[in-house]
Amino acid sequence: MTWSDSDKSTAVGAYALRLGDDALVLAHRMAEWIASAPELEEDVALANIGLDLLGQARMLLTYAGEVDGTGRSEDDLAYFRDEREFVNCQLVELPNGDFALTMARMLVFAAYQYELYDRLCSSSDETLAAVAAKAVKEVAYHRDHATRWVLRLGDGTAKSQQRMQAGLDTIWPYVAELFEADELVHGLVGGGIAVDPAELRDPTTDYLTTVIEQATLTVPDTSVWHTGGRRGIHTEALGYLLAEMQHLARTHPGAPW
Amino acid sequence: MTQSPGHDLSAEGGHGAVPTTGVPATSGRAVRDWPLWEVFVRARRGLSHGHVGSLHAPDAEMALRNARDVYTRRQEGVSIWVVPAAAISASSPDEKDAFFDPAGDKVYRHPTFYDVPDGVEHL
């Protein structure tokens, strides 16, 4: 596909928005754990991870609003878009559930993000490459954190194993969406800007399978796969999340700290 | 920590103002299941590890990671040690007099009785 410069800028902005929305929505889910985690130490760990993701979201949303020529700020994008305009994958918007489900989701998403950012470091788009180079170290830690918990809960007591497996089973139908690509992504892959999600499937799945089996758990067998987030189709959960995240900015527009 | 029969039960959060016998624990769950770890952080190369605090963690690997999250999130260090608090032998406050007072009048142990010659650096 041959794009004009403005088409290309619009596409880069749309791509950055997808990556940014993923990080923003999951950052909010992590923040929901604050003061509710099983231990104080875990509270701090989840908050740190949420702040890493929020940092990624800020860079990506800021860039999205600049490069697409609309001049929207990070706050415009975060607080003044409605549900159907969010293009995050559905996995990140799922409610936290119990700690095991949160760790299952973190394991999957950090494993995916790690492979993604690792490759995006060599994007021909300098900003995306710089964001990825910073973020890949952060998500390596997220992946490590989740891995250690999945191993301990899976290979722990009968109850922890059962809940860890239940967590994996709940999120698994949302995994395939991570590796989908549409015309937009294919066009950017051709230009050396985006990473082909299909390329991430094998290394991510290999990593997950190794951890899950080592944790004496089973890779869920799923026949139904949910999708649509990149087109603004979301689960019921996102609307509630946005209501909480956006209400302050919408009630008091322009309010600074 | 499991409550064994005959073990004195104490009310959660009691500070001595509540009876410690005959009071049922407020829940069946132990207040703390995880052991305590002492955390030592090296601020930069060339310095020794200094004690910065303590935390709870289920095992040594998780203790290191919790320490990273709790004590080095503002770039406080380049290396972390965690030590099970139970493995530390500490001097007792009761022994304070015998341990430390005898050093109090031995001023000659301080290297303050020398005239430092001019031109000696790094003293």
Side-chain angles (χ1 to χ4, degrees):
Chain A
M1 188 186 338
T2 319
W3 280 337
S4 70
D5 282 353
S6 75
D7 284 350
K8 187 179 142 195
S9 297
T10 306
V12 172
Y15 182 65
L17 195 59
R18 293 180 181 187
L19 304 184
D21 279 353
D22 282 354
L24 177 65
V25 171
L26 191 55
H28 189 86
R29 286 293 183 219
M30 289 300 110
E32 289 175 351
W33 272 106
I34 295 174
S36 302
E39 299 283 342
L40 181 146
E41 288 80 357
E42 194 58 33
D43 239 41
V44 179
L46 294 175
N48 280 351
I49 289 169
L51 286 171
D52 285 345
L53 291 165
L54 191 63
Q56 296 167 18
R58 292 190 58 185
M59 292 189 288
L60 288 163
L61 262 52
T62 301
Y63 182 52
E66 275 169 21
V67 74
D68 72 4
T70 58
R72 290 175 292 178
S73 70
E74 53 178 325
D75 282 359
D76 291 337
L77 289 168
Y79 297 128
F80 296 96
R81 277 181 303 152
D82 289 332
E83 186 184 342
R84 288 297 302 270
E85 297 167 272
F86 271 76
V87 284
N88 56 281
C89 62
Q90 293 181 355
L91 176 69
V92 295
E93 74 202 34
L94 297 179
N96 283 332
D98 62 7
F99 185 69
L101 189 149
T102 293
M103 285 302 122
R105 186 237 309 269
M106 187 190 291
L107 178 72
V108 169
F109 194 70
Y112 154 79
Q113 262 192 324
Y114 179 82
E115 302 297 340
L116 168 71
Y117 286 142
D118 189 43
R119 288 161 180 76
L120 198 60
C121 287
S122 39
S123 167
S124 62
D125 185 291
E126 282 177 19
T127 306
L128 290 179
V131 171
K134 179 175 183 292
V136 70
K137 293 181 206 161
E138 295 169 345
V139 299
Y141 189 80
H142 307 171
R143 190 177 73 161
D144 175 83
H145 189 82
T147 299
R148 282 165 201 284
W149 272 120
V150 171
L151 291 175
R152 280 162 177 75
L153 294 172
D155 195 9
T157 65
K159 185 173 185 182
S160 74
Q161 187 188 41
Q162 178 256 318
R163 288 176 72 164
M164 196 61 243
Q165 185 67 54
L168 284 170
D169 292 348
T170 305
I171 61 134
W172 211 256
Y174 299 88
V175 173
E177 185 182 11
L178 299 173
F179 308 113
E180 287 176 358
D182 54 12
E183 202 178 321
L184 174 92
V185 174
H186 284 309
L188 291 170
V189 169
I193 294 169
V195 176
D196 185 357
E199 199 184 306
L200 308 176
R201 183 190 293 272
D202 283 349
T204 306
T205 310
D206 288 350
Y207 184 86
L208 296 175
T209 305
T210 305
V211 174
I212 290 169
E213 287 178 355
Q214 201 185 335
T216 70
L217 299 163
T218 310
V219 177
D221 185 17
T222 300
S223 54
V224 179
W225 299 100
H226 299 291
T227 182
R230 305 300 184 204
R231 288 176 284 121
I233 310 294
H234 293 286
T235 68
E236 181 190 9
L238 184 65
Y240 294 100
L241 183 152
L242 293 180
E244 184 174 333
M245 189 175 83
Q246 297 179 331
H247 92 267
L248 194 68
R250 291 188 179 210
T251 310
H252 305 283
W257 283 104
Chain B
M1 188 170 67
T2 50
Q3 298 281 12
S4 55
H7 183 90
D8 280 352
L9 296 168
S10 61
E12 264 181 56
H15 296 282
V18 291
T20 55
T21 53
V23 181
T26 52
S27 77
R29 178 180 170 273
V31 176
R32 275 291 183 188
D33 299 311
W34 291 354
L36 187 67
W37 302 76
E38 299 298 334
V39 182
F40 301 79
V41 170
R42 182 204 291 278
R44 55 178 193 274
R45 280 194 60 185
L47 296 182
S48 48
H49 286 72
H51 185 241
V52 294
S54 56
L55 51 75
H56 291 88
D59 54 43
E61 278 191 349
M62 297 306 285
L64 271 177
R65 280 155 184 83
N66 287 349
R68 178 260 195 196
D69 286 330
V70 176
Y71 291 111
T72 65
R73 56 201 296 266
R74 298 181 187 91
Q75 293 189 298
E76 289 93 338
V78 294
S79 168
I80 302 174
W81 291 347
V82 289
V83 178
I88 292 179
S89 304
S91 63
S92 159
D94 296 342
E95 296 170 314
K96 186 169 80 63
D97 293 351
F99 261 55
F100 305 117
D101 281 3
D105 58 355
K106 315 243 180 347
V107 290
Y108 49 84
R109 290 181 181 168
H110 294 277
T112 55
F113 295 90
Y114 311 100
D115 290 326
V116 180
D118 291 339
V120 175
E121 293 176 358
H122 308 302
L123 246 179

